[in-house]
Amino acid sequence: MYLIGIGSMFLIVLTGIFAGQGFALAFSVELADFGAKNYLGRIMSISIVRELGPVLTGLMIAARVASGITAEIGAMKSSNQIDAMTAFGIDPMSKIAVPRLIALIVMVPVLTVFCDAIALAGGWVISIFIAHVSSTMYWAAVKERLVFGNLLIGLLKPVVFSFVIAYIACYKGFTAEGGTKGVGKATTESVVLTSITILIVNFFITKVVFSYLKGYL
Amino acid sequence: MIKLRNVSFSYGENEVLKNVSFETGDGKSLVIMGPSGSGKSTILRLLLGLESPHEGEVLINGDNICTMSEAQKRETRKKMGMVFQDGALFDSLTVGENVGYYLIEHTKMKFDLIGEKVEEMLGFVGLGGDNVIDKLPEQLSGGMQRRVAIARALLSTDPKLMLFDEPTTGLDPFATRNVLNLIRKVNSEKGIATIVVTHQIADAIEIADKYVILHEGQVAFDGGLDELRDCSDERLKNFLEPFRESFRLVLGKNFVDC
Ligand SMILES: Nc1ncnc2c1ncn2[C@@H]1O[C@H](COP(=O)(O)OP(=O)(O)OP(=O)(O)O)[C@@H](O)[C@H]1O
Ligand SMILES: [Mg+2]
């Protein structure tokens, strides 16, 4: 839990701040063409809370934590530790996978919220110094779009991503075969597969929510 | 009682065990020998239900472990202890936590009490004075790790069967002696059945009630020491040939026709 949480914090701060600034920069130029720079906050709010924050956080955790989980379980398997656990009359699946899943379910949403906040702050810096939108204007616009629906999506996604990460990472670890090399391969596959799955699942969540929850958005 | 009935098993294309049958009674000590790669470790894995045979049955007290539910398997395994060939210590846990693993997981025993039992068990395998209890397995030598693995397997509430996969390989003579005494003690004092895989015929003779010798996945011999000595099977003679000397040393007499 500590490793997933605090360990990933720095990464999330970096990603969040630069992604937020990049987005804000691109949007502000485009919006300026329409004379709609004051909407910057709204667009930032929607894109970050609903899409960017969860996906970025999910991908970072996939890279950092899924690889770790797969490698750890794979190494335990190849050194017979999983068998030893089984021989003690313990179900290694629940013993190993469940605590990691719980840690992810707690930490990924927290980190996502954190990432959202940092990215919005990054946008705020751009809005003041480059886009010349006033601070009050920006935050008011941001707040306007922090409605129930958006927040729900923004928090539902990381929870779903946690399951994706835990399931794939553990599965790849438990099925790793062929010693050290096999563990390396499983780890790579685990990161690639979780990342892709997160992107795909992200799309479908957005899609489903758009169909059913339109009124709240 | 442990019984393998017509067990065949392969890893993919590689046929490891062919029609293997043998049995051993409660409280008895069985030694499995055979050349490297003949399927000895695989038999222990089958007994624990870590692998399932493709044919035949593995009976633990009359129950086929292959057809049990996962929950039943777990209950059965709690009555067994296993020392893996490579130790298989949990490398993220300290030596103390490794040795106390069964008690920590399966009992509500107080932590202090577990600590005492762990100390006692470490003393039993000759690691008492070394202050190893708070070390990590990787900080120990190979032989020390093996003894920790033995201690871990022994420290459970009431095992009925202990499986040792080459417990004395890589140990110095003194530690070997300790481990053998330990196995004998487990067997005779606590009445726990033991199945020991070993290459050391001198060790085997010291602990076995009965011998099973594997050759290319088949049982080449199944019986007691006298039968072993009188056995005239060519494969067996070839296998035992290198041990002629130790046989003579241990028994003060030769085996077979020499
Ligand atoms: N996980 C595995 N996957 C594929 N083949 C395996 C696996 N484990 C063992 N084998 C094969 O099964 C055969 C028997 O292996 P086993 O470990 O039972 O031998 P052993 O008698 O214990 O040998 P040793 O004395 O060297 O420990 C060997 O030919 C080995 O190549
Ligand atoms: Mg072996």
Side-chain angles (χ1 to χ4, degrees):
Chain A
M1 179 99 69
Y2 173 83
L3 275 179
I4 296 177
I6 311 298
S8 304
M9 203 65 123
F10 182 63
L11 199 62
I12 298 290
V13 169
L14 272 187
T15 334
I17 212 157
F18 283 105
Q21 289 187 341
F23 257 56
L25 203 52
F27 284 150
S28 66
V29 174
E30 205 65 18
L31 286 173
D33 285 352
F34 296 99
K37 273 202 302 195
N38 290 350
Y39 285 110
L40 181 63
R42 300 177 63 150
I43 294 198
M44 287 298 289
S45 179
I46 290 180
S47 56
I48 287 173
V49 172
R50 227 152 64 182
E51 302 293 325
L52 198 62
V55 170
L56 275 183
T57 311
L59 290 179
M60 287 301 139
I61 301 288
R64 213 178 155 275
V65 180
S67 55
I69 292 178
T70 306
E72 191 182 356
I73 298 177
M76 286 183 78
K77 183 162 184 244
S78 73
S79 60
N80 277 334
Q81 291 178 53
I82 302 282
D83 286 337
M85 218 175 247
T86 313
F88 269 110
I90 282 169
D91 177 13
M93 204 56 108
S94 54
K95 185 82 195 162
I96 296 175
V98 173
R100 283 165 178 75
L101 175 66
I102 292 173
L104 281 166
I105 291 181
V106 174
M107 289 322 293
V108 181
V110 171
L111 286 171
T112 301
V113 170
F114 193 70
C115 181
D116 290 348
I118 298 279
L120 286 173
W124 171 69
V125 172
I126 296 291
S127 86
I128 292 178
F129 292 106
I130 298 181
H132 305 294
V133 175
S134 79
S135 182
T136 4
M137 189 67 105
Y138 176 79
W139 286 119
V142 166
K143 249 190 242 156
E144 202 175 322
R145 297 314 296 150
L146 286 182
V147 293
F148 170 74
N150 285 337
L151 292 176
L152 180 74
I153 304 182
L155 285 175
L156 175 70
K157 281 180 175 176
V159 174
V160 177
F161 294 167
S162 307
F163 280 96
V164 169
I165 296 171
Y167 183 81
I168 297 179
C170 292
Y171 176 80
K172 281 288 171 191
F174 278 114
T175 54
E177 235 154 56
T180 325
K181 211 169 162 190
V183 175
K185 190 162 150 270
T187 308
T188 313
E189 285 173 3
S190 155
V191 174
V192 173
L193 198 60
T194 14
S195 305
I196 293 174
T197 313
I198 283 177
L199 290 172
I200 295 174
V201 167
N202 176 59
F203 168 75
F204 280 105
I205 297 179
T206 308
K207 176 95 179 64
V208 167
V209 171
F210 259 127
S211 326
Y212 292 100
L213 276 179
K214 225 165 186 172
Y216 297 98
L217 301 180
Chain B
M1 198 180 69
I2 310 300
K3 190 167 185 171
L4 264 72
R5 195 187 284 156
N6 306 111
V7 169
S8 297
F9 178 80
S10 2
Y11 280 113
E13 292 290 284
N14 181 6
E15 207 179 3
V16 179
L17 297 174
K18 295 164 213 154
N19 201 17
V20 169
S21 303
F22 65 81
E23 59 177 77
T24 175
D26 288 339
K28 290 277 188 251
S29 173
L30 174 76
V31 164
I32 303 179
M33 289 190 289
S36 187
S38 55
K40 304 181 297 295
S41 300
T42 308
I43 287 185
L44 299 189
R45 296 179 61 81
L46 286 166
L47 286 170
L48 280 166
L50 294 173
E51 314 280 356
S52 288
H54 300 150
E55 272 168 53
E57 298 178 314
V58 179
L59 302 171
I60 312 280
N61 286 329
D63 299 324
N64 189 350
I65 192 157
C66 323
T67 57
M68 287 182 191
S69 71
E70 279 304 315
Q72 285 172 313
K73 278 187 191 172
R74 281 200 290 278
E75 285 311 308
T76 309
R77 287 173 184 142
K78 281 189 202 170
K79 300 247 174 283
M80 304 190 192
M82 165 84 172
V83 179
F84 285 83
Q85 193 164 0
D86 56 5
L89 296 175
F90 304 124
D91 54 16
S92 57
L93 303 183
T94 64
V95 167
E97 288 162 341
N98 262 286
V99 175
Y101 195 76
Y102 185 100
L103 299 180
I104 295 170
E105 289 295 330
H106 292 309
T107 66
K108 294 195 174 66
M109 210 178 272
K110 285 234 176 58
F111 211 73
D112 298 346
L113 192 60
I114 294 180
E116 275 170 36
K117 290 199 176 264
V118 167
E119 297 258 14
E120 189 188 341
M121 191 52 79
L122 283 173
F124 205 46
V125 294
L127 290 172
D130 301 347
N131 260 332
V132 293
I133 196 159
D134 290 322
K135 287 192 179 150
L136 288 173
E138 62 180 19
Q139 294 169 301
L140 305 185
S141 75
M144 288 162 100
Q145 287 184 14
R146 192 173 292 267
R147 279 183 279 164
V148 172
I150 292 171
R152 181 179 71 175
L154 285 173
L155 194 58
S156 56
T157 35
D158 62 332
K160 297 275 180 285
L161 171 68
M162 295 289 307
L163 310 172
F164 297 90
D165 200 346
E166 305 193 12
T168 59
T169 306
L171 296 189
D172 61 61
F174 184 71
T176 302
R177 182 109 315 280
N178 278 344
V179 169
L180 289 179
N181 286 340
L182 205 78
I183 294 175
R184 250 209 324 243
K185 207 156 145 188
V186 163
N187 188 240
S188 58
E189 285 179 17
K190 301 193 179 166
I192 300 170
T194 55
I195 298 183
V196 184
V197 169
T198 179
H199 288 291
Q200 260 67 48
I201 218 141
D203 297 357
I205 290 168
E206 202 163 315
I207 48 185
D209 294 325
K210 181 175 151 169
Y211 304 78
V212 165
I213 298 183
L214 290 179
H215 186 80
E216 292 179 355
Q218 287 176 307
V219 176
F221 176 84
D222 178 357
L225 186 58
D226 292 333
E227 290 153 274
L228 183 62
R229 220 182 293 123
D230 300 334
C231 182
S232 58
D233 186 327
E234 270 311 312
R235 293 176 302 180
L236 215 56
K237 276 204 232 167
N238 286 339
F239 172 65
L240 292 175
E241 185 60 34
F243 303 113
R244 189 190 298 270
E245 205 43 33
S246 37
F247 240 117
R248 215 165 44 74
L249 284 176
V250 176
L251 294 177
K253 50 187 157 184
N254 285 334
F255 69 96
V256 200
D257 49 347
C258 22

